Amino acid sequence: MAKPVELSNGQIFKTKKAAEQHFRDMLARYRDGEHISDYLDHSDLSALLERFDLLVSDGPSKIGTGIKRFERRLNKGDGWSSPGFWVVRVDNTPTDFSYIQAVVGRPKSDAEEFSIACHNAVSRDLLRMKQKQFDHFANADGLIACDITGSLIAYSEAQLSHAHPPFGIIVREFRKSKGWEDNIPSSTLTASADAQISTHFTDEAIGREFLNFHHDRAVLRIVGKDRPPISTSAAVTINRPLRFR
């Protein structure tokens, strides 16, 4: 039976899915840079942030000195951007927080954080590989064939996907090569901090080591972002395998 999500302001959602949809709809009602002006929205976000601090945060409190206001801002990384909620405290210090993670009510595991750091270590090279494929194979309209469906897609509609082995397997093999199967050494990953959108390796040398490890193993493909689900057998059938080496 699904466990309800109960917030400190009295708001109750029957399921985590319903709670997540509530805050997703709220986010959609505002524009990037806009303050969360509705009183009820502010109340729900305040209670959600309390939940984040209580159940998720393993670093400094997101509420800190107190809540002044909430805003919708555009979070950006290498090759991606997504809107999210930010809190501005009474001392005017801002920080981001994940409403999805707050609803889930648990911190990411070390394994999840490590995988994120690994992806960040190769994200720029993946973007360069994607651009290289479009430079060499796009038709006169700037379109390229999806390696799964064969449909023509534009750069904005395409993404690089790991054909084999899956990215998670590469990460697991890297941890094994480092002797980190059971535990990841402390201070390997960046600690939670204000306005830190994502986790990285604290030592750039480890990031470069994973990048080279990934280059030696990854076989990639160009697929449409909105492609339908595919079977496991179809997942490794690619028209144009892409390798770094």
Side-chain angles (χ1 to χ4, degrees), residues 86-112:
W86 281 61
V87 59
V88 178
R89 307 183 184 100
V90 294
D91 61 1
N92 289 320
T93 58
T95 190
D96 67 304
F97 71 99
S98 168
Y99 73 88
I100 296 175
Q101 200 67 26
V103 168
V104 170
R106 69 166 180 83
K108 290 186 176 73
S109 68
D110 288 347
E112 289 173 317

PDB file of all heavy atoms in Angstrom, residues 86-112:
ATOM      1  N   TRP A  86      14.351  27.403  -6.147  1.00  0.00           N
ATOM      2  CA  TRP A  86      15.439  27.892  -5.309  1.00  0.00           C
ATOM      3  C   TRP A  86      14.820  28.612  -4.115  1.00  0.00           C
ATOM      4  O   TRP A  86      13.735  29.200  -4.229  1.00  0.00           O
ATOM      5  CB  TRP A  86      16.329  28.876  -6.076  1.00  0.00           C
ATOM      6  CG  TRP A  86      17.302  28.214  -7.007  1.00  0.00           C
ATOM      7  CD1 TRP A  86      17.018  27.408  -8.073  1.00  0.00           C
ATOM      8  CD2 TRP A  86      18.725  28.313  -6.955  1.00  0.00           C
ATOM      9  NE1 TRP A  86      18.165  26.992  -8.692  1.00  0.00           N
ATOM     10  CE2 TRP A  86      19.229  27.539  -8.040  1.00  0.00           C
ATOM     11  CE3 TRP A  86      19.619  28.986  -6.131  1.00  0.00           C
ATOM     12  CZ2 TRP A  86      20.592  27.420  -8.281  1.00  0.00           C
ATOM     13  CZ3 TRP A  86      20.978  28.869  -6.379  1.00  0.00           C
ATOM     14  CH2 TRP A  86      21.459  28.086  -7.446  1.00  0.00           C
ATOM     15  N   VAL A  87      15.503  28.564  -2.984  1.00  0.00           N
ATOM     16  CA  VAL A  87      15.083  29.319  -1.813  1.00  0.00           C
ATOM     17  C   VAL A  87      16.082  30.442  -1.576  1.00  0.00           C
ATOM     18  O   VAL A  87      17.289  30.264  -1.735  1.00  0.00           O
ATOM     19  CB  VAL A  87      14.983  28.405  -0.555  1.00  0.00           C
ATOM     20  CG1 VAL A  87      16.320  27.744  -0.235  1.00  0.00           C
ATOM     21  CG2 VAL A  87      14.468  29.201   0.640  1.00  0.00           C
ATOM     22  N   VAL A  88      15.570  31.617  -1.260  1.00  0.00           N
ATOM     23  CA  VAL A  88      16.411  32.744  -0.849  1.00  0.00           C
ATOM     24  C   VAL A  88      16.144  32.964   0.642  1.00  0.00           C
ATOM     25  O   VAL A  88      15.006  33.169   1.049  1.00  0.00           O
ATOM     26  CB  VAL A  88      16.084  34.025  -1.651  1.00  0.00           C
ATOM     27  CG1 VAL A  88      16.948  35.184  -1.166  1.00  0.00           C
ATOM     28  CG2 VAL A  88      16.297  33.778  -3.142  1.00  0.00           C
ATOM     29  N   ARG A  89      17.196  32.879   1.435  1.00  0.00           N
ATOM     30  CA  ARG A  89      17.048  32.986   2.880  1.00  0.00           C
ATOM     31  C   ARG A  89      16.941  34.447   3.315  1.00  0.00           C
ATOM     32  O   ARG A  89      17.158  35.373   2.524  1.00  0.00           O
ATOM     33  CB  ARG A  89      18.231  32.303   3.571  1.00  0.00           C
ATOM     34  CG  ARG A  89      18.465  30.858   3.117  1.00  0.00           C
ATOM     35  CD  ARG A  89      19.606  30.247   3.919  1.00  0.00           C
ATOM     36  NE  ARG A  89      19.948  28.901   3.472  1.00  0.00           N
ATOM     37  CZ  ARG A  89      20.970  28.605   2.682  1.00  0.00           C
ATOM     38  NH1 ARG A  89      21.755  29.578   2.215  1.00  0.00           N
ATOM     39  NH2 ARG A  89      21.215  27.365   2.336  1.00  0.00           N
ATOM     40  N   VAL A  90      16.632  34.643   4.590  1.00  0.00           N
ATOM     41  CA  VAL A  90      16.458  36.005   5.101  1.00  0.00           C
ATOM     42  C   VAL A  90      17.759  36.801   5.061  1.00  0.00           C
ATOM     43  O   VAL A  90      17.737  38.047   5.064  1.00  0.00           O
ATOM     44  CB  VAL A  90      15.891  35.992   6.531  1.00  0.00           C
ATOM     45  CG1 VAL A  90      14.480  35.427   6.534  1.00  0.00           C
ATOM     46  CG2 VAL A  90      16.787  35.184   7.479  1.00  0.00           C
ATOM     47  N   ASP A  91      18.907  36.113   5.007  1.00  0.00           N
ATOM     48  CA  ASP A  91      20.189  36.817   4.877  1.00  0.00           C
ATOM     49  C   ASP A  91      20.587  36.989   3.415  1.00  0.00           C
ATOM     50  O   ASP A  91      21.728  37.340   3.102  1.00  0.00           O
ATOM     51  CB  ASP A  91      21.293  36.096   5.656  1.00  0.00           C
ATOM     52  CG  ASP A  91      21.541  34.667   5.143  1.00  0.00           C
ATOM     53  OD1 ASP A  91      20.859  34.248   4.174  1.00  0.00           O
ATOM     54  OD2 ASP A  91      22.400  33.972   5.706  1.00  0.00           O
ATOM     55  N   ASN A  92      19.627  36.710   2.503  1.00  0.00           N
ATOM     56  CA  ASN A  92      19.781  36.872   1.049  1.00  0.00           C
ATOM     57  C   ASN A  92      20.722  35.850   0.398  1.00  0.00           C
ATOM     58  O   ASN A  92      21.106  36.025  -0.763  1.00  0.00           O
ATOM     59  CB  ASN A  92      20.244  38.294   0.698  1.00  0.00           C
ATOM     60  CG  ASN A  92      19.145  39.313   0.927  1.00  0.00           C
ATOM     61  OD1 ASN A  92      17.976  39.064   0.628  1.00  0.00           O
ATOM     62  ND2 ASN A  92      19.514  40.460   1.487  1.00  0.00           N
ATOM     63  N   THR A  93      21.073  34.781   1.107  1.00  0.00           N
ATOM     64  CA  THR A  93      21.857  33.718   0.471  1.00  0.00           C
ATOM     65  C   THR A  93      20.901  32.750  -0.222  1.00  0.00           C
ATOM     66  O   THR A  93      19.921  32.301   0.377  1.00  0.00           O
ATOM     67  CB  THR A  93      22.711  32.955   1.503  1.00  0.00           C
ATOM     68  OG1 THR A  93      21.853  32.412   2.518  1.00  0.00           O
ATOM     69  CG2 THR A  93      23.736  33.872   2.130  1.00  0.00           C
ATOM     70  N   PRO A  94      21.158  32.418  -1.496  1.00  0.00           N
ATOM     71  CA  PRO A  94      20.266  31.501  -2.233  1.00  0.00           C
ATOM     72  C   PRO A  94      20.848  30.097  -2.322  1.00  0.00           C
ATOM     73  O   PRO A  94      22.062  29.894  -2.266  1.00  0.00           O
ATOM     74  CB  PRO A  94      20.220  32.139  -3.617  1.00  0.00           C
ATOM     75  CG  PRO A  94      21.614  32.698  -3.789  1.00  0.00           C
ATOM     76  CD  PRO A  94      22.100  33.096  -2.407  1.00  0.00           C
ATOM     77  N   THR A  95      19.988  29.116  -2.469  1.00  0.00           N
ATOM     78  CA  THR A  95      20.436  27.759  -2.755  1.00  0.00           C
ATOM     79  C   THR A  95      19.317  26.995  -3.456  1.00  0.00           C
ATOM     80  O   THR A  95      18.137  27.312  -3.316  1.00  0.00           O
ATOM     81  CB  THR A  95      20.869  27.014  -1.480  1.00  0.00           C
ATOM     82  OG1 THR A  95      21.518  25.783  -1.844  1.00  0.00           O
ATOM     83  CG2 THR A  95      19.687  26.690  -0.577  1.00  0.00           C
ATOM     84  N   ASP A  96      19.719  26.005  -4.206  1.00  0.00           N
ATOM     85  CA  ASP A  96      18.761  25.160  -4.913  1.00  0.00           C
ATOM     86  C   ASP A  96      18.350  24.000  -4.025  1.00  0.00           C
ATOM     87  O   ASP A  96      19.007  23.695  -3.028  1.00  0.00           O
ATOM     88  CB  ASP A  96      19.399  24.607  -6.186  1.00  0.00           C
ATOM     89  CG  ASP A  96      20.522  23.630  -5.859  1.00  0.00           C
ATOM     90  OD1 ASP A  96      21.450  24.042  -5.138  1.00  0.00           O
ATOM     91  OD2 ASP A  96      20.473  22.465  -6.289  1.00  0.00           O
ATOM     92  N   PHE A  97      17.262  23.344  -4.390  1.00  0.00           N
ATOM     93  CA  PHE A  97      16.901  22.071  -3.776  1.00  0.00           C
ATOM     94  C   PHE A  97      16.005  21.316  -4.741  1.00  0.00           C
ATOM     95  O   PHE A  97      15.311  21.909  -5.558  1.00  0.00           O
ATOM     96  CB  PHE A  97      16.216  22.260  -2.410  1.00  0.00           C
ATOM     97  CG  PHE A  97      14.824  22.824  -2.484  1.00  0.00           C
ATOM     98  CD1 PHE A  97      13.713  22.002  -2.400  1.00  0.00           C
ATOM     99  CD2 PHE A  97      14.620  24.199  -2.633  1.00  0.00           C
ATOM    100  CE1 PHE A  97      12.424  22.525  -2.453  1.00  0.00           C
ATOM    101  CE2 PHE A  97      13.338  24.729  -2.685  1.00  0.00           C
ATOM    102  CZ  PHE A  97      12.238  23.889  -2.596  1.00  0.00           C
ATOM    103  N   SER A  98      16.045  20.009  -4.636  1.00  0.00           N
ATOM    104  CA  SER A  98      15.270  19.147  -5.522  1.00  0.00           C
ATOM    105  C   SER A  98      13.932  18.824  -4.877  1.00  0.00           C
ATOM    106  O   SER A  98      13.887  18.145  -3.847  1.00  0.00           O
ATOM    107  CB  SER A  98      16.043  17.854  -5.815  1.00  0.00           C
ATOM    108  OG  SER A  98      15.203  16.895  -6.432  1.00  0.00           O
ATOM    109  N   TYR A  99      12.851  19.276  -5.498  1.00  0.00           N
ATOM    110  CA  TYR A  99      11.532  18.932  -4.962  1.00  0.00           C
ATOM    111  C   TYR A  99      11.261  17.437  -5.100  1.00  0.00           C
ATOM    112  O   TYR A  99      10.573  16.835  -4.257  1.00  0.00           O
ATOM    113  CB  TYR A  99      10.433  19.759  -5.634  1.00  0.00           C
ATOM    114  CG  TYR A  99      10.096  19.387  -7.059  1.00  0.00           C
ATOM    115  CD1 TYR A  99       9.157  18.409  -7.342  1.00  0.00           C
ATOM    116  CD2 TYR A  99      10.703  20.036  -8.127  1.00  0.00           C
ATOM    117  CE1 TYR A  99       8.839  18.066  -8.652  1.00  0.00           C
ATOM    118  CE2 TYR A  99      10.397  19.708  -9.439  1.00  0.00           C
ATOM    119  CZ  TYR A  99       9.464  18.723  -9.699  1.00  0.00           C
ATOM    120  OH  TYR A  99       9.162  18.387 -10.993  1.00  0.00           O
ATOM    121  N   ILE A 100      11.828  16.822  -6.135  1.00  0.00           N
ATOM    122  CA  ILE A 100      11.648  15.384  -6.320  1.00  0.00           C
ATOM    123  C   ILE A 100      12.324  14.618  -5.193  1.00  0.00           C
ATOM    124  O   ILE A 100      11.751  13.701  -4.601  1.00  0.00           O
ATOM    125  CB  ILE A 100      12.195  14.947  -7.685  1.00  0.00           C
ATOM    126  CG1 ILE A 100      11.391  15.593  -8.812  1.00  0.00           C
ATOM    127  CG2 ILE A 100      12.162  13.416  -7.816  1.00  0.00           C
ATOM    128  CD1 ILE A 100      11.926  15.310 -10.204  1.00  0.00           C
ATOM    129  N   GLN A 101      13.565  15.018  -4.866  1.00  0.00           N
ATOM    130  CA  GLN A 101      14.281  14.347  -3.788  1.00  0.00           C
ATOM    131  C   GLN A 101      13.595  14.576  -2.451  1.00  0.00           C
ATOM    132  O   GLN A 101      13.544  13.686  -1.605  1.00  0.00           O
ATOM    133  CB  GLN A 101      15.728  14.862  -3.730  1.00  0.00           C
ATOM    134  CG  GLN A 101      16.693  13.949  -3.000  1.00  0.00           C
ATOM    135  CD  GLN A 101      16.914  12.635  -3.721  1.00  0.00           C
ATOM    136  OE1 GLN A 101      16.768  12.544  -4.936  1.00  0.00           O
ATOM    137  NE2 GLN A 101      17.238  11.590  -2.964  1.00  0.00           N
ATOM    138  N   ALA A 102      13.035  15.771  -2.272  1.00  0.00           N
ATOM    139  CA  ALA A 102      12.318  16.070  -1.028  1.00  0.00           C
ATOM    140  C   ALA A 102      11.086  15.186  -0.881  1.00  0.00           C
ATOM    141  O   ALA A 102      10.772  14.721   0.214  1.00  0.00           O
ATOM    142  CB  ALA A 102      11.926  17.539  -0.997  1.00  0.00           C
ATOM    143  N   VAL A 103      10.390  14.969  -1.987  1.00  0.00           N
ATOM    144  CA  VAL A 103       9.213  14.098  -1.946  1.00  0.00           C
ATOM    145  C   VAL A 103       9.632  12.657  -1.644  1.00  0.00           C
ATOM    146  O   VAL A 103       9.011  11.971  -0.822  1.00  0.00           O
ATOM    147  CB  VAL A 103       8.432  14.165  -3.273  1.00  0.00           C
ATOM    148  CG1 VAL A 103       7.398  13.045  -3.345  1.00  0.00           C
ATOM    149  CG2 VAL A 103       7.746  15.521  -3.420  1.00  0.00           C
ATOM    150  N   VAL A 104      10.688  12.191  -2.302  1.00  0.00           N
ATOM    151  CA  VAL A 104      11.183  10.834  -2.066  1.00  0.00           C
ATOM    152  C   VAL A 104      11.527  10.650  -0.592  1.00  0.00           C
ATOM    153  O   VAL A 104      11.254   9.609   0.007  1.00  0.00           O
ATOM    154  CB  VAL A 104      12.399  10.533  -2.957  1.00  0.00           C
ATOM    155  CG1 VAL A 104      13.062   9.216  -2.543  1.00  0.00           C
ATOM    156  CG2 VAL A 104      11.980  10.474  -4.422  1.00  0.00           C
ATOM    157  N   GLY A 105      12.150  11.658   0.001  1.00  0.00           N
ATOM    158  CA  GLY A 105      12.415  11.629   1.429  1.00  0.00           C
ATOM    159  C   GLY A 105      13.598  10.786   1.853  1.00  0.00           C
ATOM    160  O   GLY A 105      13.630  10.261   2.957  1.00  0.00           O
ATOM    161  N   ARG A 106      14.586  10.658   0.990  1.00  0.00           N
ATOM    162  CA  ARG A 106      15.810   9.964   1.372  1.00  0.00           C
ATOM    163  C   ARG A 106      16.976  10.547   0.588  1.00  0.00           C
ATOM    164  O   ARG A 106      16.809  10.972  -0.570  1.00  0.00           O
ATOM    165  CB  ARG A 106      15.717   8.453   1.099  1.00  0.00           C
ATOM    166  CG  ARG A 106      15.685   8.084  -0.374  1.00  0.00           C
ATOM    167  CD  ARG A 106      15.939   6.594  -0.587  1.00  0.00           C
ATOM    168  NE  ARG A 106      15.903   6.234  -2.007  1.00  0.00           N
ATOM    169  CZ  ARG A 106      16.934   6.373  -2.834  1.00  0.00           C
ATOM    170  NH1 ARG A 106      18.072   6.879  -2.401  1.00  0.00           N
ATOM    171  NH2 ARG A 106      16.824   6.016  -4.112  1.00  0.00           N
ATOM    172  N   PRO A 107      18.161  10.579   1.188  1.00  0.00           N
ATOM    173  CA  PRO A 107      19.326  11.082   0.453  1.00  0.00           C
ATOM    174  C   PRO A 107      19.763  10.094  -0.609  1.00  0.00           C
ATOM    175  O   PRO A 107      19.469   8.891  -0.525  1.00  0.00           O
ATOM    176  CB  PRO A 107      20.395  11.226   1.550  1.00  0.00           C
ATOM    177  CG  PRO A 107      19.984  10.239   2.589  1.00  0.00           C
ATOM    178  CD  PRO A 107      18.485  10.199   2.559  1.00  0.00           C
ATOM    179  N   LYS A 108      20.456  10.576  -1.623  1.00  0.00           N
ATOM    180  CA  LYS A 108      21.035   9.679  -2.623  1.00  0.00           C
ATOM    181  C   LYS A 108      22.105   8.831  -1.951  1.00  0.00           C
ATOM    182  O   LYS A 108      22.824   9.284  -1.067  1.00  0.00           O
ATOM    183  CB  LYS A 108      21.648  10.468  -3.781  1.00  0.00           C
ATOM    184  CG  LYS A 108      20.653  11.169  -4.688  1.00  0.00           C
ATOM    185  CD  LYS A 108      21.384  11.791  -5.874  1.00  0.00           C
ATOM    186  CE  LYS A 108      20.403  12.433  -6.863  1.00  0.00           C
ATOM    187  NZ  LYS A 108      19.844  13.687  -6.340  1.00  0.00           N
ATOM    188  N   SER A 109      22.216   7.588  -2.384  1.00  0.00           N
ATOM    189  CA  SER A 109      23.249   6.709  -1.849  1.00  0.00           C
ATOM    190  C   SER A 109      24.616   7.126  -2.383  1.00  0.00           C
ATOM    191  O   SER A 109      24.720   7.868  -3.380  1.00  0.00           O
ATOM    192  CB  SER A 109      22.965   5.261  -2.242  1.00  0.00           C
ATOM    193  OG  SER A 109      23.114   5.094  -3.648  1.00  0.00           O
ATOM    194  N   ASP A 110      25.683   6.637  -1.750  1.00  0.00           N
ATOM    195  CA  ASP A 110      27.039   6.919  -2.243  1.00  0.00           C
ATOM    196  C   ASP A 110      27.208   6.408  -3.668  1.00  0.00           C
ATOM    197  O   ASP A 110      27.877   7.036  -4.486  1.00  0.00           O
ATOM    198  CB  ASP A 110      28.076   6.273  -1.329  1.00  0.00           C
ATOM    199  CG  ASP A 110      28.212   6.976   0.012  1.00  0.00           C
ATOM    200  OD1 ASP A 110      27.690   8.111   0.136  1.00  0.00           O
ATOM    201  OD2 ASP A 110      28.835   6.399   0.927  1.00  0.00           O
ATOM    202  N   ALA A 111      26.587   5.256  -3.960  1.00  0.00           N
ATOM    203  CA  ALA A 111      26.697   4.695  -5.307  1.00  0.00           C
ATOM    204  C   ALA A 111      26.033   5.609  -6.333  1.00  0.00           C
ATOM    205  O   ALA A 111      26.559   5.809  -7.441  1.00  0.00           O
ATOM    206  CB  ALA A 111      26.072   3.305  -5.348  1.00  0.00           C
ATOM    207  N   GLU A 112      24.884   6.178  -5.979  1.00  0.00           N
ATOM    208  CA  GLU A 112      24.192   7.095  -6.892  1.00  0.00           C
ATOM    209  C   GLU A 112      25.007   8.361  -7.110  1.00  0.00           C
ATOM    210  O   GLU A 112      25.151   8.841  -8.243  1.00  0.00           O
ATOM    211  CB  GLU A 112      22.813   7.437  -6.326  1.00  0.00           C
ATOM    212  CG  GLU A 112      21.810   6.300  -6.372  1.00  0.00           C
ATOM    213  CD  GLU A 112      20.520   6.612  -5.645  1.00  0.00           C
ATOM    214  OE1 GLU A 112      20.577   7.177  -4.527  1.00  0.00           O
ATOM    215  OE2 GLU A 112      19.447   6.297  -6.184  1.00  0.00           O
TER     216      GLU A 112
END
